[in-house]
Amino acid sequence: MYLLYSFRLALQSLWREKWINLLSVLTIAAGLFMITLTFFVVYNIDLATKRLPARFSVMLYLNDGLPEQETGSIIAQMKKNNAVEQARYIAKDKALEELKGVLKNADYILEGIDENPLPASIEIKLKKESVNIASVKKFVAEIKEIKGIADVEYGEQFLNSINSIKGMAKAGSLSLIIIMSAGVIFVCYSTIKIAFYRRKEEIETFKLLGATRGFIRAPFVIEGSVLGMFGGIASMAAAFAFHYVLFYKVTAAIPILTILVFPLETFPALPVAGLLLGIGGAVIALGRIRFS
Amino acid sequence: MIHFSNVTKFYERQAAIKNITFSIEKGEMVFMTGPSGAGESTLLKIIYLSEKPDEGSVTIAEWDLSKLKESSIPFLRRNIGVVFQDSRLLDNRNVFDNVAIALRIRGMLDSEIQEWVMEILKMVNLRHKAGSFPRALSGGEQQRVVIARAIVGEPTILLADEPTGNLDPDTAAGIARLFKEINARGTTIVIATHNRELYRNTGRRVFRIDGGNMVGEEIG
Ligand SMILES: Nc1ncnc2c1ncn2[C@@H]1O[C@H](COP(=O)(O)OP(=O)(O)O)[C@@H](O)[C@H]1O
Ligand SMILES: [Mg+2]
């Protein structure tokens, strides 16, 4: 096979133009590093929004003086509902107690109030998959119809903002990743295109001597993949450095940042991604090889 | 081995080759001659598939060129060694590598390449120049490198376009002897030349071409 020779040609060419190639590698590394950062941001937003449904609840305020039997039937009905994870009854007394707990030393506010003004309520936690605008709206509309329920309250604002944060983060990061990947491919493409033009005469001779398309393409594809892979390795190094600084230096000063997660195990994907983008750029640069 | 039947080739409406028919048998050594611009180079280019004929049919070693898939071109070309008019030596490679490249494209292993190339360099008397670069060689030496590269892959056909173009008579005679030797091993050879000395008293067929027409055939 000629591949060994293709490797030699590729390495010779890479070395001959080492400064330009180094520049390409650094550009590729910068692109891949930005992709990594984007991924980091989205990953953390996603994690954060995944934890949020557990905090989301719908409060059903019951009519004052609702008979115990009806209250029980509403609770039972709630527990049967497919969307409901958990339903907790909060009696009037309990509500007051909780309020006092919240107010702590400020409970003098409640002095002079003889009668408990708080209604009994049911706190409902929805199943994770039901914590989205459509499901919650549907659920709330359903239970509003139930007799004995005075009011329904839920964090509509909260729900809307999670939703839009998630959507914006996804759309923004996806377009950034696509743009950056295209950028990386373009850098490989132009580097290989230039290398190809520099060796045009030689390639013409190879063709006349009976070289196949594979023989002509191989060194350039190898060059592209080496550039991409080294770009990937450099970006991996940068990502590790970033990780180190963020998690060992910055978190010492700003402890809250420890909630951030940087999945180190995904880093080896960078050289692979670089390699694939490099091959892509080279293949596009070579185009169709014609013999006549 | 090489059959042209009513072949015409146009360059921008101007015919470089007009309705040419001939047959060259296996093992022959044939010369083509004529004034500059007569069309011999074009004829050779058609044989090594660098140009496509516009009319007529061409068969080379049983391959009908009109039915040849583009992806098969490299494999047919490996049966055809070419001594290019402009040499096409690679300036950035030494003599050994210039010859070896013809074997590398065939996927031959380095160990075999070493042996074959040195053998061919010995035959063209350039063993001692294996490490030299083309620019450091004389015209005759360069031409022998080109010939070595053309025959190292043991093609069945050897084409040569003006192989003694800028060589002095003695050097040209050396090149002529080399062709005779290669032909004696069974390689079919076609040589386009303006140099009468190359074919005089060879007893070989000489095609006379003028203005793209085959105007005569004689014995040299
Ligand atoms: N690529 C080309 N484009 C246009 N005209 C060409 C081309 N190659 C050759 N010709 C013309 O075709 C004719 C034959 O050329 P060629 O075969 O090179 O002649 P020669 O017999 O000197 O080798 C000449 O008139 C030449 O100018
Ligand atoms: Mg010519």
Side-chain angles (χ1 to χ4, degrees):
Chain A
M1 264 308 274
Y2 53 75
L3 275 182
L4 223 58
Y5 186 66
S6 307
F7 264 99
R8 217 191 306 164
L9 283 184
L11 296 183
Q12 275 170 5
S13 166
L14 284 167
W15 184 248
R16 207 176 308 130
E17 300 292 330
K18 47 187 168 299
W19 299 116
I20 288 177
N21 289 330
L22 182 67
L23 199 66
S24 303
V25 165
L26 292 178
T27 316
I28 292 164
L32 289 172
F33 182 61
M34 303 243 283
I35 289 175
T36 312
L37 286 188
T38 311
F39 173 73
F40 169 71
V41 170
V42 177
Y43 186 83
N44 279 283
I45 289 176
D46 208 49
L47 268 191
T49 54
K50 270 206 186 100
R51 283 194 215 109
L52 289 173
R55 298 192 189 173
F56 179 79
S57 54
V58 179
M59 296 299 293
L60 311 189
Y61 295 104
L62 302 174
N63 284 340
D64 225 8
L66 193 70
E68 215 168 286
Q69 198 194 338
E70 277 183 47
T71 309
S73 122
I74 291 175
I75 295 173
Q77 210 177 325
M78 285 303 111
K79 285 190 169 162
K80 262 195 287 181
N81 194 304
N82 283 333
V84 174
E85 172 80 34
Q86 190 192 336
R88 187 170 69 104
Y89 176 67
I90 303 168
K92 281 175 80 84
D93 301 348
K94 186 83 191 311
L96 191 61
E97 227 169 83
E98 281 183 10
L99 182 61
K100 280 180 177 165
V102 171
L103 294 175
K104 279 186 190 146
N105 298 332
D107 63 355
Y108 56 83
I109 292 171
L110 299 172
E111 269 170 31
I113 298 174
D114 298 331
E115 209 181 319
N116 183 352
L118 298 174
S121 59
I122 300 172
E123 184 191 40
I124 290 176
K125 295 267 186 219
L126 292 176
K127 286 186 177 142
K128 233 185 206 167
E129 62 270 20
S130 299
V131 183
N132 59 64
I133 293 179
S135 308
V136 171
K137 282 218 161 117
K138 187 167 156 260
F139 176 73
V140 169
E142 257 173 49
I143 56 179
K144 268 189 172 157
E145 299 298 308
I146 297 173
K147 245 170 73 188
I149 293 178
D151 200 7
V152 181
E153 230 180 70
Y154 68 100
E156 188 166 10
Q157 205 65 44
F158 171 80
L159 206 57
N160 281 333
S161 42
I162 297 183
N163 212 53
S164 60
I165 287 174
K166 230 174 162 168
M168 265 160 34
K170 286 241 163 84
S173 61
L174 193 68
S175 27
L176 203 71
I177 286 173
I178 289 172
I179 291 169
M180 283 294 140
S181 302
V184 170
I185 290 178
F186 181 74
V187 172
C188 293
Y189 163 88
S190 35
T191 310
I192 298 304
K193 197 89 180 167
I194 291 167
F196 188 80
Y197 276 118
R198 214 170 34 234
R199 274 142 64 192
K200 213 164 174 43
E201 264 311 295
E202 164 180 317
I203 289 161
E204 214 38 57
T205 304
F206 289 176
K207 283 187 197 169
L208 290 172
L209 295 176
T212 55
R213 290 189 173 118
F215 183 90
I216 291 161
R217 282 203 180 105
F220 295 101
V221 173
I222 293 169
E223 271 186 71
S225 54
V226 168
L227 290 173
M229 194 178 67
F230 275 97
I233 290 171
S235 69
M236 189 166 77
F240 272 117
F242 175 78
H243 175 264
Y244 176 80
V245 170
L246 186 63
F247 286 85
Y248 294 93
K249 302 289 174 202
V250 178
T251 51
I254 316 169
I256 183 99
L257 291 180
T258 47
I259 62 157
L260 294 177
V261 180
F262 210 154
L264 288 175
E265 65 275 11
T266 59
F267 284 13
L270 284 169
V272 178
L275 185 124
L276 294 177
L277 295 175
I279 291 175
V283 168
I284 298 170
L286 294 173
R288 210 167 127 58
I289 307 259
R290 302 205 56 105
F291 292 113
S292 53
Chain B
M1 184 58 71
I2 302 169
H3 303 282
F4 273 54
S5 174
N6 306 106
V7 174
T8 299
K9 167 77 195 170
F10 293 99
Y11 286 121
E12 296 135 19
R13 295 219 192 112
Q14 186 75 31
I17 292 290
K18 293 172 195 157
N19 200 30
I20 283 198
T21 301
F22 64 81
S23 258
I24 297 172
E25 299 310 318
K26 188 169 164 27
E28 260 196 289
M29 175 149 72
V30 170
F31 295 88
M32 292 184 184
T33 190
S36 279
E40 306 107 88
S41 292
T42 303
L43 256 171
L44 294 183
K45 281 177 185 165
I46 290 171
I47 301 174
Y48 65 80
L49 304 135
S50 180
E51 296 287 359
K52 266 201 177 85
D54 295 305
E55 288 165 21
S57 73
V58 179
T59 311
I60 292 161
E62 322 280 292
W63 302 59
D64 180 347
L65 296 197
S66 64
K67 291 186 185 126
L68 194 69
K69 275 191 303 189
E70 195 173 343
S71 56
S72 305
I73 289 179
F75 301 98
L76 178 50
R77 279 184 179 159
R78 291 179 194 182
N79 286 307
I80 305 169
V82 185
V83 177
F84 302 100
Q85 187 163 16
D86 54 352
S87 99
R88 288 200 160 271
L89 288 175
L90 305 171
D91 287 334
N92 56 353
R93 285 177 171 75
N94 65 22
V95 167
F96 180 92
D97 283 331
N98 263 284
V99 177
I101 192 70
L103 300 178
R104 292 202 163 112
I105 59 161
R106 289 166 163 83
M108 203 181 266
L109 296 174
D110 269 8
S111 51
E112 292 174 290
I113 288 175
Q114 178 74 23
E115 218 173 293
W116 279 47
V117 172
M118 289 321 273
E119 180 129 342
I120 288 292
L121 287 182
K122 194 166 130 196
M123 178 181 169
V124 299
N125 214 356
L126 277 176
R127 230 189 143 114
H128 57 295
K129 297 277 187 179
S132 304
F133 284 80
R135 260 191 281 252
L137 301 178
S138 71
E141 286 169 336
Q142 282 184 13
Q143 200 60 294
R144 268 144 55 207
V145 179
V146 181
I147 293 169
R149 182 183 63 188
I151 62 172
V152 72
E154 303 196 321
T156 48
I157 298 169
L158 176 62
L159 308 177
D161 199 351
E162 306 284 359
T164 60
N166 345 308
L167 301 180
D168 62 83
D170 284 349
T171 312
I175 298 290
R177 273 197 302 279
L178 198 50
F179 281 122
K180 210 174 152 190
E181 199 181 323
I182 295 162
N183 177 242
R185 296 169 163 205
T187 310
T188 308
I189 301 184
V190 184
I191 300 172
T193 185
H194 298 307
N195 184 353
R196 217 159 277 175
E197 294 306 316
L198 228 47
Y199 54 80
R200 207 164 65 180
N201 300 324
T202 55
R204 310 288 189 157
R205 292 200 288 161
V206 179
F207 297 164
R208 216 161 262 294
I209 296 169
D210 198 349
N213 294 299
M214 180 81 94
V215 293
E217 185 188 318
E218 56 202 63
I219 300 296

